[in-house]
Amino acid sequence: MSVRPWRDIVRRPSRQIMVGNVPVGGDAPVTVQTMTNTPTPDIRGTVDQIRRCEEAGVDIIRVSCPDVESTAALKQIVRAAHVPIVADIHFHYKRALEAADAGAACLRINPGNIGSNERVAEVVRAAKANGCAIRIGVNAGSLEKDLLEKYGEPCPDALVESALDHIKLLQDHDFHEYKVAVKASDVFLAVAAYQGLAEATDCPLHLGITEAGGLIGGTVKSSIGIGSLLWFGIGDTIRVSLSAEPEEEVRVGFEILKALGIRNRGVRVVSCPSCARQGFDVIRTVQALEERLQHIRTPMSLSVLGCVVNGPGEARETDIGITGGGNGKHMVYLSGVTDHHVQDADMIDHIVRLVEAKAAEIEAATPAVEPVAAE
């Protein structure tokens, strides 16, 4: 037990699979995924979007492959990407065969909707031959007709039963390199389904609240659903589904993990909502700092508080802190200790330089490890 047991998260034991060179499940770090929204045959546009997601820290990226033009482009996309690529396949088993041959690290399919048992067998053979994992993606919006008739509506038991049916199809062909999602846009439904599935199988679970909404609403729903499951130890990889650019999904995903202390990447900002006591414009300052510090990957903490009511106390718990003072003169804290003052005009540039210097200091003292394992 740690010195702060209320922060402890006991993770659900699960099997580990490999998605390309990224481990998922077991004791591997919880990974962050997103999905491109460019037309896949637009290779340059898709790779540019992947680059932005890589800069944001993504671990795995999914690419839609609805037609032969998309799977034809996939080979170049896989070659250009620095992270494993998951091919998103619906209904047409030949797209799965083509994607596996093109170098996809994982196939996102539902074995039950790609046709006959022989077609499932073909996909499994292709996955095995190419070292592909498979992600079973059950969704409340596309449940099988027989399950809707049996249960009357999408419900946790229906999602779990669908997942177990798909799992059996793979197991019958001696395929075990799979992970599973049971997504719904309803937070209660999704959380209950994942809880049921977590008890029914030991495979890695891919978490998500599907069709969560825009940047703000979708972030809130995803944080509640994904966050509550992770808090109780359920989940091995996550995708935050937003009507926003993919790199925003990545940033929100990491913020969820950072809030729970599961993974730490980049600067964790502690800031006040601001009030009439503030010695500087807290809102605009935090916006500017978050924008200018996006390139920092080293885990560290920064407190930005407008006045001395809570500022010194929060600064004691962070690597770098700034507390608003009078007459445009603000106190800077380093490693929790008061260190020097800075004027309004120089504050943002000064804090950026301090964070960059601290990040370099931390990196110099940290042994080199694989990117995912480092966080």
Side-chain angles (χ1 to χ4, degrees):
M1 183 178 292
S2 71
V3 294
R4 297 181 180 90
W6 61 90
R7 292 184 179 176
D8 292 346
I9 293 176
V10 180
R11 195 162 165 193
R12 159 188 169 267
S14 66
R15 291 186 293 106
Q16 186 174 102
I17 67 169
M18 296 298 296
V19 178
N21 62 351
V22 174
V24 175
D27 59 356
V30 176
T31 51
V32 176
Q33 304 193 28
T34 187
M35 185 174 183
T36 57
N37 57 29
T38 50
T40 303
D42 176 7
I43 296 171
R44 181 170 182 174
T46 301
V47 171
D48 285 347
Q49 193 170 76
I50 288 172
R51 285 283 179 273
R52 294 195 297 274
C53 295
E54 289 172 342
E55 289 171 5
V58 76
D59 299 304
I60 298 168
I61 294 184
R62 181 156 43 114
V63 175
S64 184
C65 293
D67 48 42
V68 69
E69 292 79 14
S70 297
T71 51
L74 191 65
K75 190 170 186 177
Q76 292 184 59
I77 293 169
V78 167
R79 190 181 299 124
H82 298 131
V83 297
I85 298 297
V86 177
D88 192 74
I89 310 294
H90 290 277
F91 305 115
H92 209 304
Y93 82 102
K94 285 189 177 180
R95 301 293 84 80
L97 305 181
E98 294 159 0
D101 289 340
C106 181
L107 306 174
R108 186 277 189 209
I109 62 170
N110 281 348
N113 70 17
I114 60 172
S116 66
N117 186 57
E118 179 49 39
R119 288 183 176 180
V120 174
E122 281 194 63
V123 172
V124 167
R125 283 194 293 269
K128 287 181 176 180
N130 290 280
C132 287
I134 288 178
R135 198 261 279 187
I136 295 170
V138 174
N139 193 302
S142 55
L143 275 175
E144 296 89 329
K145 184 178 179 181
D146 62 317
L147 290 175
L148 287 175
E149 291 175 352
K150 176 179 178 179
Y151 290 98
E153 64 176 2
C155 64
D157 287 345
L159 268 67
V160 172
E161 184 170 333
S162 176
L164 295 177
D165 288 344
H166 290 304
I167 287 172
K168 186 175 186 303
L169 287 173
L170 295 183
Q171 290 179 334
D172 285 348
H173 293 284
D174 194 30
F175 190 87
H176 306 282
E177 298 300 301
Y178 57 83
K179 51 195 174 83
V180 185
V182 280
K183 296 185 179 182
S185 60
D186 180 287
V187 174
F188 298 96
L189 173 55
V191 169
Y194 276 111
Q195 289 172 330
L197 188 61
E199 294 178 0
T201 179
D202 68 346
C203 70
L205 298 184
H206 170 117
L207 301 188
I209 305 299
T210 194
E211 291 108 28
L215 183 58
I216 295 178
T219 293
V220 172
K221 285 179 68 174
S222 297
S223 299
I224 293 170
I226 296 173
S228 62
L229 287 164
L230 290 170
W231 195 344
F232 289 100
I234 296 172
D236 303 287
T237 185
I238 68 173
R239 189 261 174 116
V240 178
S241 299
L242 302 175
S243 299
E245 293 304 317
E247 56 266 37
E248 295 298 334
E249 295 186 349
V250 177
R251 295 187 183 107
V252 172
F254 270 104
E255 288 300 323
I256 293 172
L257 296 179
K258 284 160 66 175
L260 292 167
I262 292 173
R263 279 182 74 180
N264 293 300
R265 181 189 191 277
V267 182
R268 177 176 62 85
V269 177
V270 177
S271 62
C272 67
S274 81
C275 70
R277 293 191 305 269
Q278 65 183 359
F280 58 87
D281 189 335
V282 173
I283 294 174
R284 248 53 72 185
T285 298
V286 170
Q287 288 174 341
L289 287 171
E290 287 183 334
E291 178 67 27
R292 292 186 56 181
L293 296 174
Q294 285 185 13
H295 66 290
I296 301 293
R297 299 188 177 191
T298 308
M300 58 184 300
S301 53
L302 168 67
S303 59
V304 182
L305 282 93
C307 76
V308 297
V309 172
N310 293 319
E314 293 290 355
R316 281 195 292 271
E317 304 298 324
T318 55
D319 294 304
I320 296 170
I322 181 82
T323 295
N327 301 316
K329 189 177 181 181
H330 316 301
M331 177 58 70
V332 177
Y333 302 76
L334 301 180
S335 300
V337 178
T338 55
D339 192 83
H340 59 276
H341 289 88
V342 65
Q343 297 290 332
D344 258 338
D346 305 318
M347 181 174 63
I348 292 176
D349 287 342
H350 184 68
I351 293 299
V352 169
R353 287 194 295 270
L354 288 175
V355 170
E356 289 175 337
K358 183 65 176 180
E361 175 190 328
I362 294 171
E363 284 298 303
T366 303
V369 291
E370 290 297 316
V372 171
E375 301 168 17

